Amino acid sequence: MADVKPPQYDPARAVIPSPEQLRAIRTAGDDAFMLIVDLMSGCGLRNGEAAAVNLNNIVADNVYRVTEQVILSTRQLSPQITKPLSY
């Protein structure tokens, strides 16, 4: 672990899209892409969490529980690495 470097956060690289940019992003793809963009921008889901959304994680009328994510390198579902969240 001594050779592992933690990720570096650079606030100058963080970009928050404007409402106009979000509208353009949403229309750039199909319905599945639009859903992912809405979940990421509206609920704060990360890429892998939004890609793993499914009906089994709806636990109440207005609660979606994040319990899994898609791992970028394998493109497979995996249990969420961090503590599950409810939205």
Side-chain angles (χ1 to χ4, degrees), residues 7-68:
Q8 299 298 311
Y9 173 66
D10 180 2
R13 289 184 58 200
V15 177
I16 299 173
S18 69
E20 295 80 23
Q21 290 171 319
L22 272 176
R23 279 191 284 279
I25 292 168
R26 287 181 77 242
T27 60
D30 59 10
D31 288 342
F33 181 77
M34 189 183 313
L35 174 62
I36 288 174
V37 171
D38 286 346
L39 289 168
M40 291 175 68
S41 64
C43 300
L45 269 66
R46 296 174 281 189
N47 299 1
E49 294 168 344
V53 164
N54 64 73
L55 295 175
N56 296 329
N57 292 338
I58 298 174
V59 296
D61 286 342
N62 61 350
V63 177
Y64 180 83
R65 183 152 298 137
V66 177
T67 60
E68 54 196 359

